[in-house]
Amino acid sequence: MIGLLQTGSLPFATDFAIIIITAVLLSYIARLTGQPTIVAYIFTGLVLGPVFLDIVSQSELVVLMSELGLGFLLFLIGMKMRIDDIREILRPIVNIAIWQTILQTALAFGVAFALGFTLLETTIIALATVFGATPIIVKLLSDKDELATLPGKIDVGVLIIQDIYLVILLAVLSADSLSNPQEIAVSIGTILLLMSGIGIVSYLSARYLLPSLFRAVAEDRRAFFIVGIAWAFVFILGTEQLDLSLEVGAFLAGLSLAQVPYTSELTERVRPITDFFMVVFFTSIGLQLAADNLLAYWVEALIASAALMVGNFLIIFYLIDREQFTPETSFIGSLNMAQVSEFSLVVGALAVTQGFIDASILGYLSLMAIVTMSLSTYLINYNYEIYERVKPYLARFESEEKRDVDLHVYRDHAVVVGYDEIIRAALPLLQEHFRDVVVVDRNPAHAEIHQSADYEYIYGDFKHGEIRSGAGLKRAAFVLSSTVEPDINRILLKEVGDETVVFAEAESTEDAADLYDRGAQYVILSTALTSEKLADHLRRYFNEPEEFWSVVDSDIGHLRWVRGEFDG
Amino acid sequence: MVELLTPLGAIFIVAAIFLVFATRLGIPAVPIYIIVGVILAPFIPQGTTLELAQWGVAFLVFTFGVEVEPGRFRAVARDSEHVAALQVLLIGSLVFGLGLVFGLDMLNAVYFASAAALSSSLVGRELAVHDIRRNLIQGRLISSIHFAQDLFAVVLILVLSADVFTPDGIALKLGYGVVILLVAALVRVYVFDLLVSLSGDSDELIILTGVALLLGFISLAELTGISIVVGAFAAGLAITRDFPDKLALEAGLESFDDFFAAVFFVTVGSLITVPTPRALLFAGVLLFVIVVLKPLVTIYALLYQGYETRTASLTSFGLDQVSEFALIIAIQALILERIQPDVFEAIILVAALTMITSTATRQYSEPLYRILMRILPLESTHSKLNSRSSVDSSLTDHVIIVGYGRLGTLAARTCEDEGQPVVVVEHDPDRHELATTHENHIFGDAVSSETWERANADEAQLILSTVSDRQISSQILGLETDADIILRSDRVDEAGELLEAGAEYVIVPDFLASEQLLEKIRTVLTEDVSLEELRSRNKRRLHQDLEFR
């Protein structure tokens, strides 16, 4: 036993400390220049790898964590695949996604071929650069609160469909033998077969196993998280056994969870650790690049970036327009998508490992990713401003038949945090007044009550930013929070709009005063309200006993009635 | 494909299966992990997994460090430091002596003793979470004793990480440790808030900043050759508690913590091989000390300080397990090749066992307490009760009010205004202090029959409990008295049960409050008031309430 440990002390942190500190520093710079963190992560790899400093080595743990990064990322992506979210516009989205993939592959192929790459290289480049960068689009749109708009939904929908294609592509590329068309066809066939097999397993478990499994552990935060991670690992190890890439398994594991109500909370629990592993992942890509690799094709990369940004924009504009949406929707929707995804690096790195391309092509892809991502960040941030400028020129696309679908967006609605006696009594009143009432509750014991009720329900902890934005907190007209945790109420008050009415609960008068100072319109102090009633009761008890007993009887009757309703 | 992926996956999958069942039984995760480790031992490659396990150590200590607030030191010093010190020293020196008798060298005897003396805050606090959240006195004792012990453990780890145990060697390490803590203090005061404001509310960036601080400090510790535990602790100190995105950071760290703690404890379990007779002997001794001797010492120490027998017993059931810090000490010693395999295995084995027995003692704390009362000469000096309580023993037709919070205070005043004699029963020292304004007040536990005798319950007119505690409610309903009984419950269904069990009335605050709330909501939705006006109106109302108090 001891023999294995003869290395003495284990210096484990230094490499990771360098990686993460660099990533954080670059992220702060990115933050200040308005760039998304993913750009900083890619830079981290370049800075620490052979290109610049060459100070981090690819130890076993670095490799492990980068694998986990990619795996967990696809797990998260799988969990996000909620068909319900895009059901209203599913058909146009599928049309757009399929044609976009075909046309963009053709464009990327043409550009790369014209730039003089070999046929194999061109193929890989074309396959790798089709995707839009989900983390950038989702992050920026969510910051601008545009995710729920029509262009936002179209973009996210197309990205979701692309992810399916991506997973298949990764599986095919990681297959062992791809030397002639016949073998490629066979491995694609096998992979699709295996994937549908796992898909069936994941569908069946989503149907019969997962809801009860997660309900059993939802009370215990730690067990909930561990079971979620374990579920990903079941599929990761399973696909491994079948010689498929682990990303496929992770994705399908996530997919099986996508329709389970507990997913929103699990996503938020897995995300932080995934972010960290992702940093390691992008660093490990950077480690594969030598300095001359990165800049070997920099001219080509710049030309291709320009060509693809313009080309992608035109293709998607045409496709959205073809689905009879308004020019505004087409313009914004396509402007958001004008960049190359971080997955181009994933595909590229895989192709390098498989020996299809050499590292300089990976350098080319990295440059393209960085250039297009950085530029498109500004395009997304100023999308509506740009639209206003070019609006006159888009007049020829206007037509009577084109109109936008009316999307259901939470707006001027009521958000309710938690669930207890007070909330239960207030819900009917709120439902009377608001078109939408969204209840966010982290207590799994209430899940069944919520699911059978006719308001919207999100399972999760309100302390996660994504859960708050999922409930449309910023657009709410009324917020009723039954949590007494001051931190949650504070962040709630910070995020709501100026016109939002906030009722929050507090446990102590100090907390209550603080919440008023932060802008709450009313703070529920249930003991304060109760103590007044109790004092009344006591006075009657001593002075007018008969009245006391009759009041108490009616209270008890009411209580029993409520209880009966509660149980039933 | 990485070799390590399969064992890592196996760890999580098997742990998850076990956890599904363990949560039903209320067993904490830590001992489950250790058992999973024992089962999976053949599949876990030790070199790299141990490296990964270090991350578990780092995050465990880091989280503890984040929780440590300067303000808490003072609170603990006031509360229970003496008990912690007494218990740790007494048990520690006893087991240290035993270790020497068994032929261990000094260092191994220290490892042996640390396992016996320190108890696990991770497990103990998880088990006692109900008492801690309700701020019951045993809950506060448990968490502050754990806190003091954990601090002690960090210092111990720092000392034990010295290369040579000469005064110079230890002083050097301590010096480095102090320097790192100073750096942490500087980061806390000057840098951290800046980072938070620079992050611009990005949860992702805040969490990664936290991790970066952790890894940075650990590297610093590694460079100076002291234990990474000290680095992790310092990193925790570098993070302030009060900033807007704290929630995001805590939630994020929790994920890291849960992930790596699982790896750590499973790895620890996997290091156990078939124990030798000598290891079993050590384990037996440890087991006896922790399960039998330590609770007794704790109980007597608390009784000596004047706490009630029930408080003392319940507190001791929160401390009868091996600390995760003892495991960290053992692992560090294993890496430094200082610990004897037999001692190591005994510690790990007993850690898993006691964490499970501790679950049982916690779940059956009440029956256990009654058994203890019967077989042991447990006599509280009642010094706390006596010195602080004051009751006129000839009281009749009085009102007994349990709990002196907001409700209790107002109730007591109302009764006195109405000319009714009142006895206030409160178990929280701070609140009891406030209750001394009433002529009759008892500092005592409403579950113990002592208290009720003192309060002259059989002659009372009304017993009013303002505490939502099932046990206290049951105790009151079981009293032999003709007094009317009004109880409090926070749940409607429980209120129904209490009514059926004989309570005249049950206060359910949320229920009573909801009517008024509905009115407020109606006002907002129908009347035309400006938001600002509404806010200031309600705020004024709160301040009037405060003055009334």
Side-chain angles (χ1 to χ4, degrees):
Chain A
M1 174 183 77
I2 309 284
L4 287 163
L5 304 170
Q6 274 173 350
T7 43
S9 79
L10 301 168
F12 76 94
T14 318
D15 271 359
F16 287 100
I18 293 171
I19 292 175
I20 196 81
I21 290 174
T22 313
V24 167
L25 288 179
L26 290 175
S27 296
Y28 279 112
I29 295 174
R31 188 81 208 167
L32 292 175
T33 50
Q35 288 292 325
T37 44
I38 191 107
V39 176
Y41 296 169
I42 297 175
F43 263 110
T44 307
L46 297 180
V47 170
L48 295 180
V51 177
F52 290 108
L53 302 176
D54 198 12
I55 42 173
V56 174
S57 58
Q58 203 147 10
S59 74
E60 197 179 351
L61 222 46
V62 171
V63 179
L64 173 76
M65 288 199 185
S66 65
E67 291 253 356
L68 285 179
L70 192 51
F72 284 2
L73 179 67
L74 277 139
F75 183 51
L76 286 180
I77 289 177
M79 284 199 284
K80 282 267 171 199
M81 297 265 296
R82 248 162 300 172
I83 301 300
D84 269 350
D85 289 353
I86 50 167
R87 189 178 296 283
E88 296 155 296
I89 43 171
L90 190 58
R91 180 189 286 273
I93 281 177
V94 172
N95 279 339
I96 295 169
I98 290 175
W99 282 107
Q100 179 260 358
T101 309
I102 295 170
L103 293 177
Q104 244 165 258
T105 313
L107 173 70
F109 193 94
V111 171
F113 201 72
L115 288 171
F117 290 105
T118 69
L119 187 62
L120 188 58
E121 286 168 351
T122 308
T123 311
I124 298 288
I125 291 172
L127 291 175
T129 49
V130 174
F131 310 101
T134 313
I136 292 191
I137 296 172
V138 170
K139 184 79 184 61
L140 292 176
L141 290 187
S142 127
D143 284 351
K144 297 180 72 191
D145 201 18
E146 282 176 22
L147 266 186
T149 62
L150 186 60
K153 282 226 168 184
I154 292 176
D155 291 341
V156 172
V158 170
L159 291 171
I160 285 180
I161 310 273
Q162 283 183 352
D163 289 332
I164 300 176
Y165 172 63
L166 168 79
V167 170
I168 297 174
L169 182 64
L170 286 179
V172 173
L173 276 182
S174 60
D176 287 331
S177 46
L178 289 174
S179 48
N180 62 54
Q182 202 184 346
E183 270 181 21
I184 294 176
V186 169
S187 40
I188 291 181
T190 327
I191 286 162
L192 290 180
L193 208 65
L194 287 175
M195 276 179 70
S196 38
I198 307 166
I200 291 170
V201 174
S202 93
Y203 173 76
L204 289 178
S205 46
R207 195 71 204 271
Y208 299 105
L209 173 67
L210 292 175
S212 50
L213 178 67
F214 278 93
R215 189 165 50 232
V217 292
E219 299 267 3
D220 183 328
R221 288 180 63 76
R222 184 181 296 135
F224 178 76
F225 175 74
I226 298 290
V227 169
I229 297 280
W231 186 248
F233 270 118
V234 167
F235 278 72
I236 288 176
L237 297 188
T239 39
E240 250 234 278
Q241 287 300 312
L242 298 171
D243 271 338
L244 284 171
S245 68
L246 73 94
E247 294 81 23
V248 178
F251 177 75
L252 290 172
L255 195 59
S256 63
L257 281 168
Q259 323 298 331
V260 178
Y262 305 101
T263 310
S264 43
E265 176 70 15
L266 186 60
T267 310
E268 295 314 310
R269 296 295 308 281
V270 178
R271 191 195 306 277
I273 196 157
T274 307
D275 286 340
F276 171 67
F277 289 154
M278 284 307 292
V279 172
V280 181
F281 171 74
F282 284 113
T283 309
S284 78
I285 287 188
L287 294 182
Q288 298 177 21
L289 285 176
D292 46 349
N293 293 150
L294 180 67
L295 298 176
Y297 296 112
W298 68 273
V299 181
E300 286 87 343
L302 290 182
I303 296 172
S305 300
L308 283 194
M309 284 184 79
V310 175
N312 286 4
F313 169 76
L314 293 175
I315 289 172
I316 300 175
F317 183 87
Y318 164 71
L319 290 171
I320 301 181
D321 187 63
R322 213 174 62 128
E323 299 294 329
Q324 303 293 322
F325 290 111
T326 58
E328 177 178 333
T329 302
S330 309
F331 186 84
I332 303 284
S334 47
L335 197 63
N336 292 348
M337 298 278 272
Q339 79 288 90
V340 170
S341 160
E342 78 280 10
F343 279 114
S344 64
L345 300 190
V346 176
V347 172
L350 184 60
V352 171
T353 323
Q354 294 282 38
F356 297 137
I357 54 174
D358 67 48
S360 52
I361 304 293
L362 185 58
Y364 164 85
L365 290 173
S366 307
L367 273 186
M368 273 188 76
I370 289 174
V371 170
T372 57
M373 281 178 177
S374 321
L375 288 178
S376 87
T377 299
Y378 298 110
L379 294 183
I380 297 175
N381 273 331
Y382 297 104
N383 50 8
Y384 280 94
E385 285 84 345
I386 298 173
Y387 172 69
E388 286 305 319
R389 292 271 170 98
V390 298
K391 201 172 170 184
Y393 308 104
L394 293 173
R396 52 189 290 263
F397 291 97
E398 305 266 6
S399 103
E400 283 299 310
E401 287 124 53
K402 290 181 183 171
R403 66 170 61 101
D404 287 345
V405 184
D406 250 340
L407 281 180
H408 185 78
V409 181
Y410 295 140
R411 191 173 294 286
D412 296 330
H413 58 304
V415 173
V416 172
V417 186
Y419 187 73
D420 60 13
E421 277 316 300
I422 296 187
I423 300 290
R424 205 191 53 76
L427 271 173
L429 186 63
L430 292 178
Q431 281 176 284
E432 229 172 78
H433 273 85
F434 295 99
R435 189 162 68 112
D436 292 310
V437 176
V438 187
V439 176
V440 181
D441 187 10
R442 64 177 170 199
N443 186 343
H446 300 145
E448 274 167 27
I449 303 176
H450 293 314
Q451 272 159 8
S452 57
D454 54 354
Y455 45 76
E456 305 293 322
Y457 162 53
I458 299 175
Y459 173 80
D461 201 320
F462 212 63
K463 69 180 170 204
H464 301 301
E466 296 283 324
I467 301 240
R468 291 194 297 273
S469 65
L473 181 66
K474 286 176 189 161
R475 297 182 300 274
F478 188 92
V479 181
L480 174 59
S481 160
S482 76
T483 179
V484 292
E485 286 179 46
D487 287 331
I488 292 185
N489 287 328
R490 268 180 223 151
I491 201 145
L492 184 164
L493 284 165
K494 192 175 135 198
E495 280 186 12
V496 292
D498 296 336
E499 291 300 304
T500 313
V501 180
V502 178
F503 280 26
E505 201 167 337
E507 217 159 32
S508 70
T509 43
E510 291 79 23
D511 287 350
D514 178 56
L515 292 179
Y516 276 123
D517 288 342
R518 287 168 193 266
Q521 268 71 35
Y522 180 58
V523 181
I524 309 155
L525 256 178
S526 68
T527 45
L529 294 176
T530 309
S531 56
E532 284 166 38
K533 281 218 166 192
L534 179 65
D536 286 346
H537 277 337
L538 283 175
R539 274 184 218 111
R540 284 199 200 99
Y541 177 82
F542 296 122
N543 303 322
E544 304 145 273
E546 284 193 7
E547 202 184 321
F548 170 78
W549 290 112
S550 87
V551 170
V552 156
D553 268 351
S554 93
D555 259 13
I556 290 177
H558 193 185
L559 203 66
R560 287 228 160 93
W561 178 78
V562 168
R563 185 189 169 204
E565 205 186 45
F566 209 55
D567 292 346
Chain B
M1 193 58 215
V2 210
E3 228 174 286
L4 215 56
L5 201 63
T6 313
L8 195 63
I11 288 176
F12 279 100
I13 294 169
V14 178
I17 295 170
F18 275 68
L19 275 183
V20 170
F21 295 101
T23 45
R24 296 236 168 118
L25 302 172
I27 301 176
V30 176
I32 297 299
Y33 290 152
I34 297 179
I35 293 171
V36 169
V38 174
I39 296 170
L40 286 179
F43 307 104
I44 299 181
Q46 285 177 354
T48 330
T49 325
L50 204 60
E51 218 174 301
L52 209 54
Q54 296 260 56
W55 287 71
V57 176
F59 276 102
L60 281 176
V61 179
F62 182 47
T63 315
F64 171 66
V66 174
E67 276 175 27
V68 173
E69 276 298 291
R72 273 194 77 184
F73 288 102
R74 254 172 286 136
V76 169
R78 200 184 60 210
D79 255 16
S80 65
E81 199 186 40
H82 319 298
V83 184
L86 192 74
Q87 185 220 35
V88 167
L89 289 182
L90 214 63
I91 296 285
S93 46
L94 176 81
V95 177
F96 179 76
L98 273 177
L100 293 181
V101 172
F102 288 133
L104 292 175
D105 58 274
M106 296 274 274
L107 198 53
N108 273 284
V110 170
Y111 297 140
F112 195 46
S114 71
L118 301 170
S119 37
S120 165
S121 49
L122 210 58
V123 172
R125 276 165 50 186
E126 184 176 332
L127 291 173
V129 66
H130 172 84
D131 290 358
I132 293 172
R133 207 172 284 156
R134 289 182 173 259
N135 210 10
L136 299 182
I137 191 149
Q138 62 266 23
R140 299 208 316 201
L141 276 171
I142 289 173
S143 60
S144 59
I145 291 177
H146 277 311
F147 181 75
Q149 285 188 355
D150 288 352
L151 282 180
F152 180 74
V154 171
V155 176
L156 188 64
I157 290 172
L158 181 58
V159 172
L160 288 176
S161 72
D163 299 326
V164 277
F165 292 100
T166 56
D168 279 356
I170 293 174
L172 188 67
K173 294 285 153 162
L174 281 176
Y176 281 139
V178 169
V179 169
I180 287 185
L181 289 176
L182 277 178
V183 174
L186 289 176
V187 171
R188 181 193 179 95
V189 176
Y190 294 107
V191 185
F192 190 72
D193 286 340
L194 179 72
L195 290 178
V196 170
S197 63
L198 276 181
S199 78
D201 285 345
S202 157
D203 290 358
E204 183 187 349
L205 198 46
I206 280 290
I207 295 167
L208 283 183
T209 305
V211 177
L213 276 176
L214 171 64
L215 291 178
F217 273 99
I218 287 181
S219 298
L220 210 57
E222 279 182 340
L223 287 177
T224 48
I226 61 175
S227 165
I228 61 160
V229 171
V230 180
F233 182 71
L237 290 183
I239 289 175
T240 48
R241 269 231 104 170
D242 240 4
F243 62 98
D245 303 285
K246 189 186 94 188
L247 274 183
L249 178 64
E250 280 176 351
L253 289 182
E254 192 187 357
S255 296
F256 282 90
D257 214 3
D258 286 350
F259 186 89
F260 289 111
V263 180
F264 169 64
F265 289 114
V266 173
T267 312
V268 167
S270 76
L271 295 174
I272 299 182
T273 48
V274 181
T276 59
R278 188 155 167 271
L280 284 178
L281 170 75
F282 288 146
V285 171
L286 270 184
L287 198 62
F288 174 79
V289 170
I290 292 165
V291 176
V292 180
L293 213 56
K294 190 153 79 172
L296 289 181
V297 170
T298 315
I299 291 174
Y300 279 104
L302 286 168
L303 288 182
Y304 177 76
Q305 289 211 316
Y307 289 95
E308 294 299 295
T309 45
R310 181 165 176 273
T311 310
S313 311
L314 294 186
T315 306
S316 76
F317 297 145
L319 302 170
D320 55 350
Q321 70 291 96
V322 174
S323 166
E324 65 273 8
F325 279 100
L327 292 180
I328 293 173
I329 291 174
I331 282 278
Q332 301 279 329
L334 184 76
I335 293 170
L336 293 171
E337 292 182 57
R338 282 178 176 165
I339 194 167
Q340 293 184 12
D342 289 340
V343 176
F344 180 78
E345 291 193 348
I347 291 176
I348 308 295
L349 213 57
V350 174
L353 282 176
T354 52
M355 283 169 179
I356 292 173
T357 55
S358 176
T359 313
T361 55
R362 182 71 209 172
Q363 271 168 2
Y364 300 101
S365 56
E366 292 294 332
L368 271 175
Y369 156 65
R370 281 194 287 275
I371 293 172
L372 276 183
M373 284 289 283
R374 236 179 296 139
I375 57 173
L376 284 176
L378 290 180
E379 197 46 59
S380 168
T381 57
H382 296 305
S383 67
K384 296 234 163 174
L385 207 146
N386 285 328
S387 68
R388 298 198 190 171
S389 306
S390 140
V391 196
D392 173 2
S393 56
S394 62
L395 271 181
T396 54
D397 284 336
H398 53 296
V399 181
I400 303 177
I401 293 174
V402 180
Y404 200 69
R406 213 186 153 84
L407 276 182
T409 313
L410 190 65
R413 285 202 195 145
T414 311
C415 292
E416 281 183 349
D417 289 348
E418 299 292 325
Q420 304 291 330
V422 170
V423 179
V424 177
V425 177
E426 176 57 68
H427 203 191
D428 181 319
D430 296 339
R431 286 186 174 171
H432 177 263
E433 195 59 39
L434 298 171
T436 50
T437 49
H438 299 280
E439 204 179 314
N440 300 300
H441 53 89
I442 296 176
F443 177 72
D445 187 347
V447 180
S448 112
S449 44
E450 276 281 333
T451 309
W452 292 103
E453 270 166 44
R454 228 167 250 264
N456 219 4
D458 39 354
E459 300 287 337
Q461 179 192 3
L462 171 67
I463 299 177
L464 168 64
S465 166
T466 61
V467 197
S468 172
D469 182 298
R470 190 62 201 258
Q471 233 175 342
I472 293 179
S473 299
S474 309
Q475 170 79 16
I476 295 174
L477 289 169
L479 290 174
E480 284 188 16
T481 173
D482 295 330
D484 291 327
I485 293 176
I486 298 181
L487 300 174
R488 171 183 173 179
S489 169
D490 286 341
R491 295 198 344 256
V492 174
D493 51 339
E494 190 183 85
E497 285 162 30
L498 294 174
L499 285 170
E500 265 146 45
E504 262 71 35
Y505 183 60
V506 180
I507 310 160
V508 184
D510 279 358
F511 173 73
L512 292 177
S514 60
E515 270 177 45
Q516 262 152 306
L517 175 74
L518 285 185
E519 242 165 70
K520 293 275 179 198
I521 296 181
R522 267 192 212 104
T523 320
V524 176
L525 296 181
T526 51
E527 275 179 36
D528 197 22
V529 271
S530 87
L531 295 183
E532 187 46 39
E533 195 185 319
L534 192 72
R535 190 178 77 88
S536 49
R537 197 199 294 165
N538 286 322
K539 190 178 166 185
R540 263 202 310 280
R541 183 72 204 269
L542 175 78
H543 286 293
Q544 284 163 4
D545 276 8
L546 279 176
E547 278 161 30
F548 173 68
R549 231 180 108 91

